[in-house]
Amino acid sequence: MNGVGLIGAILIGILAGWIAEKIMKRNHGLLTNLVVGVVGAFLGSFIATSLGIGIGSGVIPSLITATLGAILLLFIVGLIRSRRA
């Protein structure tokens, strides 16, 4: 999340977590959305950097990267939970 600042990163994390929650048809609270969004941002950035994809800086690229990472995170968590049951 380059160039957005701490408050911007928190807001992007909440929004990305919320978007991922709606896409994956989950129901979490605000704090969980924040955690999922921020962890998703790290995951998305790591994957994009590993693949050599330049994600840019600013609000929109950060939101897209965080949302895609959060969706992937929720998918992985869903797989792990379904295997435990």
Side-chain angles (χ1 to χ4, degrees):
M1 287 194 224
N2 295 332
V4 295
L6 180 62
I7 300 298
I10 291 171
L11 293 175
I12 289 170
I14 292 171
L15 184 58
W18 181 79
I19 293 169
E21 169 186 79
K22 297 304 174 194
I23 290 172
M24 297 299 290
K25 295 180 172 78
R26 306 282 171 87
N27 190 17
H28 303 119
L30 183 65
L31 184 61
T32 304
N33 286 343
L34 171 63
V35 171
V36 167
V38 171
V39 172
F42 284 116
L43 181 62
S45 293
F46 175 76
I47 291 171
T49 303
S50 297
L51 295 175
I53 301 170
I55 54 175
S57 63
V59 175
I60 301 300
S62 296
L63 180 60
I64 292 168
T65 303
T67 301
L68 292 175
I71 290 169
L72 180 61
L73 178 65
L74 289 176
F75 178 75
I76 292 169
V77 168
L79 286 177
I80 292 170
R81 284 189 176 172
S82 68
R83 287 186 179 226
R84 294 174 110 192

